[in-house]
Amino acid sequence: MITSTQNAQVKQWQKLKRKKERTKTNTFLVEGFHLVEEAITAGWTIEQLILREETELPEWASHLDAETVSEHVFKSITDTETPQGIAAVVQMQDKKLKRHNRILLLDAVQDPGNLGTIIRTADAAGYDAIYVGEGSVDRYNDKVVRATQGSIFHLPVLTADLELLLPELQDNGYTVWAAALEGAVDYRAVTAPEKTALLVGNEGAGIDKRLIAQSDMAVKIPIFGKAESLNVSIATGILLYHTVNK
């Protein structure tokens, strides 16, 4: 059992809280029974399984070798207030796109909770892939991963330069819908084509104007009450379900 936070392995796990180290090692840390099981079930590569002392190895992880650590060490590598006693170092995976008629594009979504919720909602709505643009929070940030509730393991969540990606999608038959206010039509008045790329933007500033100019159509969600705007994850959810046409 590892009992010291000065252990070299423990220090390496702690470093995975930083994006720079995650990028360098192409790995990220997940914690909790549900998320670890989702990663394993979805076929992601588990580089290391970590168990807090007195935590039993679940049946679904019995094929993996686990490193046991003391409670003090486990708390040093996790961020939740009441950790469940299991964590895993998971290898990043850029899934290849197969069937992809519905794609979500995210421009500078910076709040981890929002990004994680959006990924989870896109998964629930049956979207095929998500592209996270520049200026957005890291998709493997621990708060993002927790907020996805495992959906990050279910569909491709990729990074891209959206200015370059939009014309490429349009050349391949996609219609790009931008969620905006100026020059936008009520989303309820239009039907999404079979191949739609939905573009949503930053919590405060919205979508970069250059990206709106590149889009085929701007759509908006009407506000009937006195609220100034909708939370980006809520607005995205409304548009996601409108565009799936199921």
Side-chain angles (χ1 to χ4, degrees):
M1 183 192 302
I2 299 176
T3 58
S4 172
T5 56
Q6 298 306 306
N7 178 279
Q9 183 65 83
V10 175
K11 288 183 176 181
Q12 181 58 42
W13 294 333
Q14 292 170 342
K15 288 180 181 179
L16 291 177
K17 295 180 182 181
R18 301 196 295 266
K19 179 182 178 181
K20 180 179 179 181
E21 191 64 24
R22 292 194 295 268
T23 302
K24 177 183 175 182
T25 61
N26 203 43
T27 61
F28 63 107
L29 191 71
V30 300
E31 60 171 295
F33 287 99
H34 176 66
L35 284 177
V36 175
E37 183 178 10
E38 286 290 328
I40 293 173
T41 302
W44 287 52
T45 300
I46 308 299
E47 292 204 350
Q48 288 178 308
L49 189 66
I50 308 161
L51 286 181
R52 183 180 59 199
E53 58 182 324
E54 298 183 0
T55 300
E56 291 188 17
L57 182 67
E59 179 63 31
W60 42 259
S62 59
H63 62 291
L64 297 172
D65 292 327
E67 189 78 67
T68 304
V69 302
S70 66
E71 183 172 351
H72 172 65
V73 168
F74 195 81
K75 283 185 176 180
S76 77
I77 64 173
T78 57
D79 287 323
T80 54
E81 290 186 12
T82 54
Q84 296 177 15
I86 189 170
V89 177
V90 182
Q91 192 176 99
M92 293 180 185
Q93 178 178 310
D94 280 343
K95 290 187 174 182
K96 292 182 179 180
L97 300 186
K98 296 179 181 178
R99 176 185 63 83
H100 47 95
N101 288 333
R102 293 287 185 269
I103 293 178
L104 178 61
L105 312 173
L106 305 176
D107 177 38
V109 174
Q110 297 175 339
D111 181 82
N114 282 339
L115 179 56
T117 300
I118 288 170
I119 292 171
R120 181 180 181 183
T121 309
D123 179 23
Y127 258 60
D128 302 309
I130 300 171
Y131 284 94
V132 182
E134 295 177 2
S136 296
V137 63
D138 178 26
R139 57 189 165 151
Y140 292 117
N141 173 290
D142 61 311
K143 292 180 181 178
V144 172
V145 174
R146 284 202 300 273
T148 72
Q149 285 293 300
S151 286
I152 196 167
F153 303 119
H154 301 162
L155 76 168
V157 182
L158 311 167
T159 57
D161 182 328
L162 298 184
E163 280 194 76
L164 299 178
L165 180 62
L166 259 62
E168 182 181 323
L169 291 173
Q170 289 162 328
D171 287 344
N172 282 281
Y174 285 88
T175 298
V176 179
W177 278 18
L181 294 175
E182 296 181 10
V185 300
D186 188 323
Y187 80 96
R188 298 169 300 172
V190 287
T191 300
E194 183 178 355
K195 297 181 73 172
T196 299
L198 174 63
L199 172 63
V200 299
N202 176 267
E203 290 86 349
I207 301 168
D208 188 296
K209 291 183 178 179
R210 292 170 296 181
L211 295 175
I212 295 177
Q214 286 183 270
S215 302
D216 298 294
M217 178 181 291
V219 295
K220 65 181 178 181
I221 300 171
I223 302 290
F224 301 116
K226 296 181 180 180
E228 181 180 340
S229 62
L230 286 169
N231 172 277
V232 66
S233 62
I234 298 296
T236 302
I238 292 171
L239 295 174
L240 285 171
Y241 272 89
H242 176 71
T243 58
V244 293
N245 296 326
K246 292 183 179 180

